[in-house]
């Protein structure tokens, strides 16, 4: 079982991701914005974080940068989950430090597979 932080300002997406990952046996910490995501990472030191890019306050991109710049958090795998699908957006996501980039709409099964793959690599 892994601890996973899920940050999305859309409650329906957040609930869907939480439900899918919880059915895999993971403990999910949900938050609604980037600042809370960084705080949750500091508090629970999760095994993985799934972040929306476009959130109020601190964006997912800014949250990834903060996570990568914190020595205690820098090794947490991060998946960006976003509606921004342009190639330049994807490149910006990876340049910000994301380990994976999934565009909305997304398949919950695909998300689960990619989460499991990142968790397996992190071991």
């Amino acid at each position: 079982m892994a601890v996973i932080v899920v940050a999305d300002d859309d409650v329906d997406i957040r609930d869907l991701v939480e439900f899918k990952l919880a059915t895999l046996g993971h403990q999910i910490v949900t938050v609604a914005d980037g600042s809370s995501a960084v705080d949750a990472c500091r508090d629970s030191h999760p095994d993985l974080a799934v972040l929306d890019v476009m959130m109020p306050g601190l964006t997912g991109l800014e949250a990834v940068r903060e996570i990568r710049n914190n020595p205690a958090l820098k090794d947490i795998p991060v998946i960006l989950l976003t509606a921004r699908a342009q190639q330049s957006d994807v490149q910006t996501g990876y340049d910000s430090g994301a380990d994976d980039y999934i565009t909305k709409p997304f398949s919950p099964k695909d998300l689960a597979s990619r989460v499991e793959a990142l968790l397996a690599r992190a071991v």
Side-chain angles (χ1 to χ4, degrees), residues 5 29 36 38 46 48 53 56 70 80 113 121-122:
V5 169
V29 177
S36 297
V38 173
L48 185 131
V53 169
N70 183 323
L80 291 177
S113 296
R121 276 193 295 196

Side-chain angles (χ1 to χ4, degrees), residues 35-99:
S35 295
S36 297
V38 173
D39 291 343
C41 287
R42 278 192 207 110
D43 294 344
S44 62
H45 198 79
D47 300 291
L48 185 131
V50 178
L51 309 177
D52 182 21
V53 169
M54 297 183 295
M55 293 184 285
L58 203 62
T59 69
L61 297 172
E62 294 165 332
V64 172
R65 289 184 196 111
E66 283 203 26
I67 289 166
R68 294 294 176 245
N69 288 328
N70 183 323
L73 306 177
K74 69 180 179 65
D75 294 327
I76 297 170
V78 176
I79 296 175
L80 291 177
L81 183 64
T82 179
R84 301 188 66 134
Q86 297 286 332
Q87 185 57 41
S88 60
D89 295 320
V90 175
Q91 189 60 52
T92 299
Y94 284 118
D95 290 346
S96 295
D99 295 283

